Amino acid sequence: IDGKSLFEVSVVFAHPETVEDCHFLRVICPDCFKPAKNKQSVFTRMAVMKALNKIKEEDFLKQFPCPPNSPKAVCTVLEIE
């Protein structure tokens, strides 16, 4: 892997079973999720990472058990760039 390569691949998945998993982060850390004109969702990778860095571990574990439950359905690929 060359981290400085100009080659970039973007894959967008859909998984209805977990589509709302990040929504509790928006309640806990609303300043992390600002709408942007060029984004389809406020739940970007960077916004979620910022919120996860701010949330207390015990608050996170109240929402998600560790280890997590196994998903019942597979995800589907929506887009590859």
Side-chain angles (χ1 to χ4, degrees), residues 10-50:
S10 173
V11 183
V12 178
F13 295 95
H15 192 247
E17 184 180 335
T18 57
V19 75
E20 295 185 12
D21 281 359
C22 291
H23 288 242
F24 84 99
L25 289 173
R26 192 173 190 181
V27 173
I28 292 172
C29 189
D31 61 310
C32 295
F33 301 98
K34 302 290 184 193
K37 292 178 185 175
N38 61 344
K39 302 287 183 187
Q40 292 180 355
S41 172
V42 294
F43 296 104
T44 63
R45 181 178 182 270
M46 293 304 292
V48 171
M49 287 182 63
K50 185 177 176 182

Side-chain angles (χ1 to χ4, degrees), residues 7-12 40 77-81:
F7 183 74
E8 182 178 307
V9 176
S10 173
V11 183
V12 178
Q40 292 180 355
V77 176
L78 296 180
E79 181 181 320
I80 300 174
E81 285 184 20

